Amino acid sequence: MNRPILNRVRLGAVDYLNVRPLVHGLDHEPAFELRFDPPSMCASLLRSGEIDLGMIPTIAYQLHEDYRVVFGIAIASEGLVDSVALFTKVPRERIRTIAADTSSNTSIALTRVLCAYRFGIAPTFIPTAPDLAAMLSRADAAMLIGDPALFVDHRAMGLEKIDLGAEWTDMTGLPFVWAFWAGRKDAIDGEGIARLHQAKVEGAAASDALADAYAASYQARTGIAADPAVARRYLRENIKYDLGWREHEALVQFYEGARRVGVIDTVQPVRFYAA
């Protein structure tokens, strides 16, 4: 028996700073149940039916034929993203091995596309937990995402930081879409989608306060210094929250690039919820 739409829609969001404006206030909404996990875990929870709608890495959409996407909302960037990067000990043309953060398959796929069509290299990828020092003990470069990539002092470690969002935009002239709300076609109705859009607007207006609170909690949890000014600038300048037709074109190009490098076998069109 199907449960009524919006009877506690179970939302799975990524456990990073960049999602906080999109879920602002939703933890107090009776219509939603909200949890936070790494991006790849959001996709796994959606596949297993443990959540109804997930802020999933965009490549995960291609691995399920029945998903729909909420139009107008995404975690995206155009130019510098600052939280998805290669940290390298050697010049990019000499990179032979990359320790890849297993938290997001989208970022791994993008790295493969950029290596093939931007950097002209064919490195070996080593799946690794997101610990930069340990990653670089095993490889020439490390692909790191999220808060660890945003707040790390790479200069103090003597590393070059290659921003993957900027590299994509320089190559294509388009934004890049890192994640979006997706679920099965009956997961949410128009009223629920409208509330997600409202949260996006309210969260963007409160981004400075959200950045300050998150930076303090991140430092308390990890012991890693998290400059509130960096967090504020990141939400204001680096992260974009729209999913319009330019972002759709970027998805089309990304998916085709992922197919060409063998990450996915075929490309299915992006299908949106009717609302």
Side-chain angles (χ1 to χ4, degrees), residues 82-120:
D82 218 22
S83 60
V84 184
L86 275 180
F87 296 89
T88 179
K89 301 180 292 187
V90 302
R92 67 179 68 185
E93 65 273 11
R94 288 172 46 202
I95 295 173
R96 298 293 178 264
T97 52
I98 294 177
D101 184 346
T102 55
S103 302
S104 173
N105 291 329
T106 288
S107 300
I108 295 174
L110 175 61
T111 305
R112 290 185 180 278
V113 171
L114 290 173
C115 284
Y117 299 110
R118 177 74 170 170
F119 306 149

Side-chain angles (χ1 to χ4, degrees), residues 64-88:
H64 197 290
E65 295 182 356
D66 295 329
Y67 288 165
R68 298 293 184 272
V69 175
V70 174
F71 188 78
I73 304 175
I75 297 174
S77 62
E78 186 156 3
L80 287 170
V81 64
D82 218 22
S83 60
V84 184
L86 275 180
F87 296 89
T88 179

